[in-house]
Amino acid sequence: MELGTLGSQIIKIKIKKEPVVLLPNNVSPASVLADRLGKGLTAQGAQISAQGDTHLTLIVDQLQSEITKPGLVYKSRVSLKIKLKAERNGASITKEYRKSAMKESATQPDIGDIELQLNEHISSLLNEMLQDSQLRNYIKGSSY
C-alpha cells in the first residue's frame, strides 16, 4: 500500500487577530490510516503483501481540525478527505471518502477533545472504506 502526502499539521487554531497556531502530529496521518486500513482488510481475510494482485494507494487530501472564534463561541471544524485507489492488471478504480463536522462551545476546546473528535471521524471513515462493497468486490477479483 502506498501513501499520498499531507503535511503533519492536523490541528489549526485561529482565534481572531492572534497568530495562527499549527499543531503537528508526531506520526504521519497517512501512515496511521494505511496501517489501520491494512489491519481491517486483513481481518476481513485479505492477504497483504508487496506481490499482491491489487495495489492500493491511500491519498490523504485533507485531515484537519480547525478551531476558530468568529464571535462569542468557539467553533471546532473537522474535515477529512481521503482517496483510495485500487489497481489491478492495468485497470483501476479510485474512491473518495469525505467526512466533516462542526461543534460549537462557549470555551475553547482542549487538545484531548479535538483529538477525540478527529479519532471518531477517522474511525467512521475507515469503517466506511472497509464496508464499501464496490471496493471489496474489486479487491475480491484478485484473490481476496
Side-chain angles (χ1 to χ4, degrees):
M1 185 174 310
E2 283 184 27
L3 307 174
T5 58
L6 173 77
S8 65
Q9 290 90 11
I10 61 170
I11 298 175
K12 179 180 181 181
I13 303 173
K14 185 178 179 186
I15 308 297
K16 296 193 179 189
K17 295 181 181 181
E18 295 179 27
V20 172
V21 177
L22 299 173
L23 301 177
N25 200 32
N26 292 337
V27 179
S28 161
S31 296
V32 173
L33 287 166
D35 179 62
R36 297 297 191 289
L37 183 60
K39 287 178 180 175
L41 290 170
T42 299
Q44 292 180 356
Q47 294 180 357
I48 310 269
S49 76
Q51 296 79 28
D53 293 336
T54 302
H55 181 82
L56 297 177
T57 303
L58 180 77
I59 302 157
V60 180
D61 285 334
Q62 185 177 28
L63 192 155
Q64 187 175 57
S65 182
E66 182 177 53
I67 312 305
T68 60
K69 188 178 180 196
L72 296 175
V73 297
Y74 290 88
K75 293 185 179 190
S76 174
R77 287 186 179 88
V78 171
S79 301
L80 306 167
K81 180 179 168 188
I82 298 170
K83 292 179 187 167
L84 187 59
K85 182 177 182 180
E87 298 174 90
R88 184 181 68 243
N89 298 329
S92 70
I93 64 167
T94 300
K95 302 288 300 217
E96 184 174 280
Y97 304 90
R98 294 175 179 249
K99 288 262 183 242
S100 63
M102 187 187 65
K103 285 174 102 175
E104 292 183 346
S105 64
T107 59
Q108 183 173 345
D110 67 29
I111 298 302
D113 291 338
I114 296 166
E115 288 175 348
L116 181 62
Q117 187 181 19
L118 275 169
N119 287 338
E120 287 173 358
H121 292 291
I122 290 169
S123 293
S124 174
L125 198 71
L126 283 170
N127 284 331
E128 187 179 326
M129 290 175 167
L130 291 167
Q131 294 173 12
D132 186 320
S133 60
Q134 184 183 16
L135 181 64
R136 289 170 56 132
N137 288 336
Y138 192 85
I139 294 171
K140 279 182 185 179
S142 62
S143 68
Y144 178 78

